Amino acid sequence: MGYEMGGERRRWWVNRTAMVVVWVVVSTAIWAGLHLYIRRVSMRKAEEALVSMCEERARMIQDQFAVSVNHVHALAILISTFHYQKQPSAIDQETFAHYAARTAFERPLLNGVAYAQRVANSERDKFENEQGWIIKTMKRDPSPVQDEYAPVIFSQETVSYIEALDMMSGEEDRENILRARATGKAVLTNPFRLLKSNHLGVVLTFPVYRSGLPPDATVDDRVKATAGYLGGAFDVESLVDNLLRQLAGSQEIMVNVYDVTNISKPLIMYGPQQPDGYMSLSHVSMLDFGDPFRKHHMMCRYSQKPPIPLSAITTPSGVFVICMLAGYILYAAWNRYDNVKEDCRKMEELKVQAEAADVAKSQFLATVSHEIRTPMNGVLGMLDMLLDTDLNLTQKDYAQTAQVCGKALISLINEVLDRAKIEAGKLQIEAVPFDLRAVLDDVISLFSPKLREKKGIELAVFVSDKVPEVLTGDPGRFRQIITNLVGNSVKFTERGHIFVQVHLVEHSNMVTDAKSEAHLNGWSDEHEVKSCRTIFNTLSGVEAADNRNSWDNFKHLLSDETSLPDASGNEMPGDKESAKVTLTVSVEDTGIGIPLQAQDRVFTPFMQADSSTSRNYGGTGIGLSISKCLVELMGGQINFISRPHVGSTFTFTVVLKRCKGSAIDEAKRALPEPLPISFRGMKSILIDERPVRGAVTKYHLQRLGVTVDIASTMKTAFNAKAGQNGCTRSHIKQPKIILVEKDSWTSGMDTCLGNQLTEWKHNGRLSEVPKVILLSTSESDKTKCSYVDTVIMKPLRASTIAACLQQVLRMGVPQRKQLPNGSAFLHNLLAGKNILVVDDNKVNLRVAAGALKKYGANVACAESGKGALSLLQLPHKFDACFMDVQMPEMDGFEATRQIRLMESKANEEARHGGMTPHDTTEKVGWHLPVLAMTADVIQATYEECMKCGMDGYVSKPFDEQQLYQAVAKFLISKANPDSEK
């Protein structure tokens, strides 16, 4: 029994051991299997994590790189827009460096940016002269001669050392430049050590094209359109370091970045030269930096073998890492958003401050100009009064010189005020009916004395018959534009002509297109050779800058006009449906022209061609700038064609409106000197060898209703006349005048002309001998031609021709108004009139009172609005009141309102029978003419004066014509009550 119990214990022990062993083996197997499984899962997860993190880092590197490239692209567009499309350029080195520094946060991967301009070898000398330095190679030696260069002209402060270096001098840089402009994309160099930081990096090159490059441009198109190259150095090591610091987790990752363009010899861009760490797990991610010719990849691996994680640790750790990573990404994105938002807010504040500063500058300029103008008015007025006293010749010369200088200063201040009003947006364009031809005649008469001093210069105006006689617009601003352009032409022209033409835009374009189709090489009658000297078919025979204004074009315009009715009315056939009229006006001269290098700044304020222009000819360079602004305010555009030593032609368009019949009649009645109608139907012969000049003379005669036959020579005119007289005189109207251009008056013409006309009269061909009139620029020409009845001085105006014809034909001159610029007429108008002058400035008060007393007026003065009201209590004896608008206590506007209120109450009482029999001897219907009087041409506008009840506006100091226009309509009607009926 004992033996059996021992055997059972032995079996139980063996079984237990076996069970233990089996349990251990099973446990070990389970542990091993679980361990292997967990390890396999862990390694698989580690590998997946490595791939994920590597791809993520590669993507973030590409994204950050792309953001920087986009900002470089934006900088390229900025340069293209403000350096090449702005004339002159809005960018210089200082502006570029300041802007690049202020926006460096948008390009954190760039050490600095620089712009290199594309310069052809033919342009190198001009470029180096403009820049003030020579183009150098990368070794800072003068660049040798080559087809083209890429010198750095703009650079950020951090890379200013590369200024003037030719980027084409480096072999790799040259290759990058050529690839960049051919593809239109950013290209990269091989990695190299950056200066200062000694980090590995690459240089990005980006092409800058001129505007107008189509999206589907070919390589040749891109190369031709290339203007320059924008470059920047990328610090690749700093980029990857920053990224790894941001994304560091529990497992440190080793990263290498390679340039694998040459797969057999990869170039390391980041990381250790000899890779270390746990090499069993690694992953390669491709990097696309936008350069199609270069390839890069990033290899990631663990620095150490990943530990076998416990599930309880690995899962939370993974979640924690992911959450932290996601939180960090969100935090970084939100922080970036706040920074951009704050930058935008600051930029808006800076913009508001800049706009406020611009407005303040314009307001300051206007205020200072007004404050200067006020004492200048006193100076000019006192000088005018001084000139009316007894002065010796020296004193009178000094006073006149001072007066001329003062008027020049006032004119300059007015130009500056116009510029200030334009910049401040306060310049308003009027819309009133006016006679365009009368305005042009006034401008011509303004420059007549200057042209007679120069001698021999033709000044002429031609307005197409298609242009309506009366239009609605701003005559003052239109006159200002024409005066500026003609004034410049007179200033810079010493020979030849100045020719002003006005046509409808549609008509001019239609004729030009028709001519172009008919004469693709239309130079057949542009010029002819006489006596070994080229005579051009222009107004004066001198070559003009714009060939479009030649006789060939002008002839087509004239021939087209004759096929349609005269446009003396305001409506044209085919245009009745259009309320707007677009005119094209050209001012052609044969002066010194504009140098080619100065033509891009012609319309820049205070800029002239060069320093000698102001020295030799004077002026401030603001007239053309104001003219351009006025043209644009009138809905048009202005441009020019100029050839040095040949001349300039300025052409602008304006948009005006047609007038109704009542407005046309009003505008005609407002003319101080309407054209007479007594010449209608009269026949004349014009002898002129130049067709353009003949057409201009015919235009002025036709305005008077005179029929004109043009002949190039006297012989041609006689032959034509002889042919006409073969018929009975009842069918052929006899010419009453023969007009001969001075250039066409040949030697011996006196005898020939006299004998021919006398013979025709004796033979009965002529009922009376026509009057012979010479057209000349010099009065002395009459003494040289004995058979001439009179001489008409140029430039021609319809009114001067009419006066000459009335004198030479001894026609009855109708009684007409005396011109409003004569001192005698003003004396007759103002003599004995009681006038009140109100001004708080004692000097201006004396000036205004003295000017009115000069013409015989009885003047009373008041120094305030309240003082004026006390003197104007009804009934009073004043015939008119000149009221300053800016006075303390009560300004002129308020004083005028009070005056009108008193008059309104008195007139109301009179209408309701409140007058006594004694009162019937007094004036009934009180309305005192009140005229605004101020030097402030910005604030005291005509509309403001009308609102408060004023009747007109006169600026200080008075001149005769302005004074007449201000008071004539009140005082003449008062003196002759029936004159208005």
Side-chain angles (χ1 to χ4, degrees), residues 235-377:
D235 190 339
V236 179
E237 287 191 21
S238 297
L239 167 63
V240 182
D241 279 338
N242 291 337
L243 184 63
L244 293 180
R245 281 197 298 270
Q246 295 172 6
L247 301 178
S250 59
Q251 295 290 339
E252 184 179 3
I253 296 178
M254 306 292 291
V255 174
N256 280 74
V257 179
Y258 296 91
D259 184 339
V260 293
T261 304
N262 185 353
I263 193 64
S264 61
K265 294 182 180 180
L267 301 174
I268 189 165
M269 299 176 67
Y270 175 83
Q273 295 292 331
Q274 297 297 329
D276 55 1
Y278 185 69
M279 302 300 297
S280 298
L281 284 180
S282 64
H283 180 74
V284 175
S285 296
M286 301 305 297
L287 296 175
D288 183 6
F289 289 152
D291 186 345
F293 296 93
R294 305 201 73 84
K295 297 180 180 179
H296 304 82
H297 73 219
M298 181 174 69
M299 187 177 72
C300 304
R301 62 197 178 280
Y302 291 114
S303 59
Q304 296 178 354
K305 180 180 178 180
I308 300 172
L310 298 175
S311 60
I313 299 174
T314 57
T315 302
S317 298
V319 173
F320 175 78
V321 171
I322 293 174
C323 291
M324 289 297 293
L325 182 61
Y328 182 81
I329 294 173
L330 291 175
Y331 170 78
W334 189 260
N335 189 50
R336 181 63 179 275
Y337 170 77
D338 285 342
N339 290 338
V340 172
K341 186 177 180 180
E342 179 65 15
D343 291 339
C344 290
R345 185 189 64 80
K346 290 180 179 179
M347 291 176 66
E348 288 293 333
E349 289 180 356
L350 292 174
K351 177 185 176 184
V352 171
Q353 293 175 6
E355 291 175 347
D358 186 63
V359 173
K361 180 262 296 181
S362 297
Q363 292 175 347
F364 170 78
L365 184 62
T367 302
V368 170
S369 299
H370 166 63
E371 294 303 325
I372 296 173
R373 214 179 131 87
T374 298
M376 278 303 303
N377 290 330

Side-chain angles (χ1 to χ4, degrees), residues 54-70 109 234 239-240 243 285-291 294-298:
C54 193
E55 291 292 340
E56 184 178 19
R57 283 152 178 72
R59 184 174 65 254
M60 293 186 68
I61 290 176
Q62 292 182 161
D63 290 345
Q64 291 192 21
F65 193 91
V67 169
S68 295
V69 170
N70 288 340
L109 310 181
F234 278 87
L239 167 63
V240 182
L243 184 63
S285 296
M286 301 305 297
L287 296 175
D288 183 6
F289 289 152
D291 186 345
R294 305 201 73 84
K295 297 180 180 179
H296 304 82
H297 73 219
M298 181 174 69

Side-chain angles (χ1 to χ4, degrees), residues 138 706 848 975:
M138 290 296 187
V706 179

Side-chain angles (χ1 to χ4, degrees), residues 30-331:
I30 293 173
W31 178 87
L34 184 61
H35 174 77
L36 292 174
Y37 174 78
I38 294 174
R39 184 175 180 178
R40 188 165 53 250
V41 170
S42 176
M43 294 301 291
R44 185 169 64 250
K45 289 183 177 180
E47 183 179 4
E48 291 174 357
L50 178 65
V51 172
S52 175
M53 288 186 286
C54 193
E55 291 292 340
E56 184 178 19
R57 283 152 178 72
R59 184 174 65 254
M60 293 186 68
I61 290 176
Q62 292 182 161
D63 290 345
Q64 291 192 21
F65 193 91
V67 169
S68 295
V69 170
N70 288 340
H71 284 293
V72 173
H73 190 189
L75 190 57
I77 295 174
L78 182 71
I79 292 175
S80 176
T81 303
F82 291 95
H83 182 61
Y84 290 103
Q85 297 183 26
K86 288 286 185 180
Q87 298 296 334
S89 172
I91 298 178
D92 55 16
Q93 167 58 30
E94 183 179 357
T95 304
F96 182 89
H98 181 69
Y99 178 83
R102 293 292 298 273
T103 58
F105 68 92
E106 296 179 340
R107 301 178 296 277
L109 310 181
L110 286 174
N111 284 358
V113 291
Y115 173 69
Q117 181 172 325
R118 181 185 182 186
V119 179
N121 186 49
S122 60
E123 302 171 347
R124 176 175 179 175
D125 293 340
K126 178 180 177 183
F127 173 82
E128 290 179 340
N129 291 334
E130 291 177 348
Q131 299 295 328
W133 41 257
I134 63 173
I135 302 174
K136 300 177 181 178
T137 64
M138 290 296 187
K139 297 180 179 179
R140 300 194 175 276
D141 296 326
S143 180
V145 176
Q146 55 190 38
D147 293 339
E148 63 177 297
Y149 312 87
V152 176
I153 61 172
F154 301 144
S155 62
Q156 191 173 342
E157 189 66 28
T158 56
V159 293
S160 59
Y161 52 86
I162 67 172
E163 184 178 4
L165 298 185
D166 180 16
M167 295 294 101
M168 298 284 282
S169 62
E171 185 63 31
E172 188 168 353
D173 289 329
R174 178 183 181 87
E175 180 183 351
N176 281 10
I177 287 173
L178 296 179
R179 286 197 292 115
R181 73 184 188 187
T183 61
K185 297 181 179 180
V187 298
L188 302 172
T189 63
N190 284 329
F192 63 94
R193 291 289 175 182
L194 299 176
L195 295 177
K196 295 186 179 180
S197 66
N198 201 34
H199 289 175
L200 281 171
V202 294
V203 172
L204 170 78
T205 304
F206 201 96
V208 178
Y209 297 111
R210 294 185 178 88
S211 61
L213 185 67
D216 58 345
T218 63
V219 173
D220 290 340
D221 293 338
R222 292 184 182 279
V223 172
K224 291 179 182 178
T226 301
Y229 318 96
L230 194 65
F234 278 87
D235 190 339
V236 179
E237 287 191 21
S238 297
L239 167 63
V240 182
D241 279 338
N242 291 337
L243 184 63
L244 293 180
R245 281 197 298 270
Q246 295 172 6
L247 301 178
S250 59
Q251 295 290 339
E252 184 179 3
I253 296 178
M254 306 292 291
V255 174
N256 280 74
V257 179
Y258 296 91
D259 184 339
V260 293
T261 304
N262 185 353
I263 193 64
S264 61
K265 294 182 180 180
L267 301 174
I268 189 165
M269 299 176 67
Y270 175 83
Q273 295 292 331
Q274 297 297 329
D276 55 1
Y278 185 69
M279 302 300 297
S280 298
L281 284 180
S282 64
H283 180 74
V284 175
S285 296
M286 301 305 297
L287 296 175
D288 183 6
F289 289 152
D291 186 345
F293 296 93
R294 305 201 73 84
K295 297 180 180 179
H296 304 82
H297 73 219
M298 181 174 69
M299 187 177 72
C300 304
R301 62 197 178 280
Y302 291 114
S303 59
Q304 296 178 354
K305 180 180 178 180
I308 300 172
L310 298 175
S311 60
I313 299 174
T314 57
T315 302
S317 298
V319 173
F320 175 78
V321 171
I322 293 174
C323 291
M324 289 297 293
L325 182 61
Y328 182 81
I329 294 173
L330 291 175
Y331 170 78

